[in-house]
Amino acid sequence: MPTGAKVFLILSGALLPLALIAFLASLQTTRIADQEVRARLRIAISEAARSLRGELAWELREVRSALPTTPDQAPNCGRLAGLFEPQAAEGIRYAVLDPAKRLVCGQPLPSVATPVDGAETSPIRLLPGTGAQLEVTGPTGHTARAFFPTRFLAESAAPTGMAGDFALVLIAADRSVVLRELDASGPLARAETQIVDLDIEDLQLQMTVPSAPVTSSAVIAALSPFLMWFLAAAIAWFVVDRLLIRPLRQLRTTVEAYQPGEMIDPIAGSDIPAQEIRALGDTFRELSQTVQLHERDLAEGLSRQTKLTREVHHRVKNNLQVIASLINFHARVAVEPGALEAYASIQRRVDALAVVHRHHYAGFEDTRGIEIRSVIGELASNIRATAPERNAVGIMLNIEPLLVSQDAAVAVSFLITEIVELAMLASPGAQINISTQTDAAKPDSATLRISSAALADSPEFASLYEHRYGRVIGGLVRQLRSQLHHDPLIGAFELTIAITGRT
């Protein structure tokens, strides 16, 4: 995960509890405000219920008391008139009917009582949209009715301590009357509602008051902790990314693109605001300058060393040529056949070393290795040239273009010289085949094969190999870190040599 993402997540996790605490505090404030609204509502509805209960109970009692209790009595219309006539302007009306349902006094009012299962309904009937009506039938069959409009009921139930907006609904078992409606409305409006029993028949009073509305400011106050949490984490991430992470990323890109011999310049093309990172960039630049100076010194030293080495190789090559010339000079004045053979043998070995050294000197600038085909070809020419006339030898080559190290080339040259000379002495006029073979499964090695009928098992071969050439050939094979295989039937030597490539 990138460092910027880690910083953002860590800061988010650290600041989130603070945002939650602030959000819960905002909710707690709203909850406390709602509790205060409920407390005021509880007091107000208790007062409203008490007022409305007293008014309806008193009106119901007065209506019942105005009805006669015996047939010889008449309804007390004067009492009802004195009770309801002063409130006629508010829409209150009354009526008294005889047992035959003829109007005795008051104003005609239709009946709103509906018997249910043979029993009359409650004496107080609610008329949705208009008000409520009392209807009481006395023992003598007289009926008294009184109508109270909605406005009168609302004024009777209005609590004295409620200065704000509120709603009142008078509820019965099967219907209800809205005494007062809320003015506040909207999708985000909130309200608290409570219902209490009036303890008059089955009537209940419902009161609703608006609670603290969900306004845009309230939403912002509730969400601002989370907004601040996100902004704090984002600003911290932005600052860390701009001041630290991005400059470090630029510095890393500059260092990754560094090549030996160049100079690191992390300030070029960018303004790094962090002083510590600028100091780190300056340190890298100074370090690259130091490395550049050291590499320049090393290059100069390597150039001088290369010139000295070439001079040494040139002198060694010249010395070997001098030695070969001296041996050739002394061989010319030698008379004994043994001395001539000894000089020729020494000449062949010096030539073998000189050939390798000459090829190494020629390819000194290229360190891939020495081409073994050219070395063996020149070596074969020298051997044929130094062979006595009675021991003339024929050499056939089948060498692949392979590269070997200088140590391997020297050992291979001496090994071929020893084996060819062994074949020459074991069988004069011998024909010798020298070949190499590679295997794709082993790209770092090749098989060197030297075969001749003179190398087959014979008394002369066995005597020469055991007393003169065997120990030298074994030492050269060990120097090549290989194993020599001899087939005495066909006369062949095989061994594996390490190669460094192909030309």
Side-chain angles (χ1 to χ4, degrees), residues 31 71 99 162 225 235 299 354 401 417 482 487:
R31 189 178 298 111
M162 289 295 294
I235 291 173
T417 302
S482 182
D487 188 348

Side-chain angles (χ1 to χ4, degrees), residues 430-448:
Q431 297 295 320
I432 302 173
N433 295 320
I434 303 176
S435 64
T436 58
Q437 185 177 1
T438 57
D439 187 358
K442 299 178 179 180
D444 56 348
S445 64
T447 301
L448 175 64

